Amino acid sequence: MKEFWIYTGLRALLFVAALGVVSVVWWLITGGVDLFFAVIVAFLISGFSSLVLLDKYREAFALRVQQRADRAAAKFQERAASEDDDER
């Protein structure tokens, strides 16, 4: 679960940083900030940036999820096998 919170926190931090940069640049260019469009642009920038910058954390999270799924499947198979043995 730790990997989930690390990845999620870094995504949120990346979005906030992108929103700050987009807002400042937008304000310097136009003298005002349209928050709706700034959020959309920041969302796109942070999304594409996270593909590159957060790859290591995303892979760690995916590995953890896969390990948990494998353990759950193994336990399911054990229970199914023990039920088959009990029926005999």
Side-chain angles (χ1 to χ4, degrees), residues 12-14 17-18 20 23-24 29-30 36 38 42 52 54-55 73 76 80:
L13 186 64
L14 190 58
S23 296
V24 167
I29 292 172
T30 65
F36 178 74
V52 176
L54 303 181
D55 185 50
F76 178 77

Side-chain angles (χ1 to χ4, degrees), residues 7-80:
Y7 180 69
T8 302
L10 289 172
R11 283 290 309 261
L13 186 64
L14 190 58
F15 172 74
V16 169
L19 182 60
V21 169
V22 167
S23 296
V24 167
V25 169
W26 200 306
W27 182 76
L28 289 174
I29 292 172
T30 65
V33 177
D34 185 352
L35 191 58
F36 178 74
F37 289 115
V39 167
I40 291 173
V41 171
F43 180 72
L44 292 172
I45 290 172
S46 69
F48 288 123
S49 299
S50 72
L51 290 175
V52 176
L53 300 175
L54 303 181
D55 185 50
K56 177 177 81 168
Y57 302 102
R58 185 176 46 259
E59 290 296 324
F61 175 53
L63 178 64
R64 180 73 169 166
V65 169
Q66 183 62 45
Q67 290 170 344
R68 290 182 72 175
D70 291 344
R71 283 196 308 268
K75 286 181 184 179
F76 178 77
Q77 292 294 332
E78 288 175 17
R79 278 183 266 160

